[in-house]
Amino acid sequence: AELAPGLRSAWGSCPFSRGPGRGSPLHLLPSLSARGVLNGVFNGVFSAFSLWPQAEQAHKVAASYKPSKFDKKILLWTGRFKTEDEIPPRIPPEMLDRARNKARVKACYIMIGLSIVACFAVIASAAARHESLTSWNLAKKAKWRQEAALAAESKDK
């Protein structure tokens, strides 16, 4: 598929591409600084030569969600706003989604840290009682041998 003059393929030298005009609208991008246009698309600033105006409008969401008290705490904890007074009465749902995702990641990091601290606490408490996994294993195996010997004696009688 030959491109019209003034247009060039955005697929360039990509070895994994399916080529221009084969399932991707990227070959329609103007040759005027295709890299700048792509960066504009990814930064949401693709208004100068919008080939897909309905896609551009789909990303503009009005602030339509009224945050609850818990949502406001999440927005504050994730650092989106400094004080509760700064939070507007209505926010975009995407803002809250990003804040919730950030809060999930922070909570996971906190749980990982607490798990590591708990592991060291268990190790320290076992060391204080002069116990180790080796001594527990030897004691357990000695008990099993004793039970096996008792079972063998009762079978012989």
Side-chain angles (χ1 to χ4, degrees):
E2 194 64 33
L3 296 175
L7 295 178
R8 70 174 178 168
S9 172
W11 290 99
S13 62
C14 178
F16 304 110
S17 71
R18 297 184 299 187
R22 296 190 188 121
S24 172
L26 290 178
H27 69 282
L28 298 173
L29 290 176
S31 64
L32 310 167
S33 163
R35 185 177 196 166
V37 170
L38 286 176
N39 286 341
V41 169
F42 295 132
N43 292 333
V45 191
F46 190 65
S47 60
F49 7 90
S50 178
L51 299 175
W52 304 283
Q54 68 276 8
E56 180 184 331
Q57 291 169 359
H59 294 296
K60 291 182 180 177
V61 178
S64 62
Y65 182 77
K66 184 179 179 191
S68 66
K69 288 182 180 181
F70 184 70
D71 294 335
K72 289 180 181 182
K73 288 180 184 178
I74 288 176
L75 289 166
L76 291 174
W77 189 51
T78 56
R80 185 68 177 102
F81 297 100
K82 300 286 182 207
T83 63
E84 198 168 325
D85 298 333
E86 292 179 8
I87 301 174
R90 296 210 171 266
I91 59 171
E94 288 80 15
M95 180 189 297
L96 187 59
D97 288 342
R98 276 184 258 126
R100 283 180 179 166
N101 289 337
K102 208 175 205 183
R104 275 188 209 101
V105 170
K106 278 187 173 186
C108 287
Y109 285 151
I110 290 171
M111 288 189 286
I112 289 169
L114 290 175
S115 298
I116 292 171
V117 168
C119 288
F120 284 116
V122 167
I123 291 170
S125 69
R129 290 179 281 157
H130 302 293
E131 292 179 350
S132 68
L133 288 176
T134 307
S135 63
W136 270 24
N137 234 354
L138 291 174
K140 184 170 54 172
K141 287 181 181 180
K143 182 181 174 186
W144 287 349
R145 282 191 206 105
Q146 186 181 15
E147 288 174 357
L150 289 173
E153 276 183 22
S154 65
K155 236 185 194 180
D156 288 341
K157 289 185 183 179

